[in-house]
Amino acid sequence: MTGKTHIIGGLAASLAYAQFTTYDPVLLVGAGVVGALIPDICHGGSKIGRTFPLISKLINVIFGHRSFTHSLLFLFIVSLLLKSFVTNEAVTEGILVGMVSHLVLDMMTRNGIKLLFPFKIRVRFPLTTRTGGTVESLVLAALSVLSVYFGYEAFGVYLQ
């Protein structure tokens, strides 16, 4: 999936998650968008890879693309680090929700992800799409509609 789809995916997922929490939705959603970009640190051409090129290159050389940073192991390590060093639960939860949305979206691609890293098994959905293709555009549109719906629900109190 492309960066814009991951951003909207993180937005939609964190807005949906906000429906079930008492966290500040602004913090939760902001962190969700950031979290949705983190797994692609392994790809130099990604939004986060271009922001941190040295780290991106190092991770890519060691692990490759869609392996360690797209795994449950990475999610677990990030979760431990966040819970140890970030005092705001909304930020921690938002980042994790965004990261999960990223993994789910990349499982929709033909190459899938190495969700069970270090095992070399690639995990993907039975029906997949090509990154940047028409189906991804439809997924982006659906996530945009969901973001508006969940955004109204999350921030509707502020609009009245």
Side-chain angles (χ1 to χ4, degrees):
M1 297 286 171
T2 60
K4 64 186 173 191
T5 302
H6 284 305
I7 289 169
I8 296 297
L11 181 69
S14 56
L15 283 167
Y17 187 71
Q19 307 303 305
F20 306 103
T21 70
T22 57
Y23 298 135
D24 178 353
V26 174
L27 288 176
L28 187 70
V29 170
V33 170
V34 170
L37 297 175
I38 290 174
D40 272 345
I41 189 69
C42 62
H43 187 280
S46 68
K47 291 183 184 301
I48 193 167
R50 288 190 311 268
T51 304
F52 301 102
L54 294 176
I55 295 170
S56 178
K57 180 70 171 173
L58 178 66
I59 292 172
N60 187 276
V61 166
I62 295 170
F63 300 108
H65 184 50
R66 289 191 183 168
S67 61
F68 172 62
T69 62
H70 286 67
S71 71
L72 293 174
L73 176 62
F74 184 66
L75 190 65
F76 178 72
I77 291 169
V78 170
S79 174
L80 288 177
L81 290 171
L82 289 170
K83 289 177 192 276
S84 296
F85 298 106
V86 177
T87 58
N88 190 304
E89 288 183 30
V91 171
T92 297
E93 297 294 319
I95 288 173
L96 295 174
V97 167
M99 289 177 67
V100 169
S101 77
H102 184 109
L103 301 183
V104 169
L105 287 169
D106 276 356
M107 285 192 294
M108 295 172 71
T109 63
R110 290 182 181 148
N111 289 335
I113 61 173
K114 292 184 181 172
L115 185 66
L116 304 174
F117 181 89
F119 301 107
K120 297 182 188 227
I121 301 165
R122 288 207 173 262
V123 177
R124 65 180 182 193
F125 289 115
L127 297 173
T128 60
T129 185
R130 185 176 47 84
T131 299
T134 304
V135 173
E136 181 178 348
S137 296
L138 294 172
V139 169
L140 177 66
L143 289 170
S144 297
V145 170
L146 285 172
S147 294
V148 171
Y149 173 76
F150 288 127
Y152 180 77
E153 292 294 318
F155 294 102
V157 171
Y158 300 107
L159 298 174
Q160 295 177 1

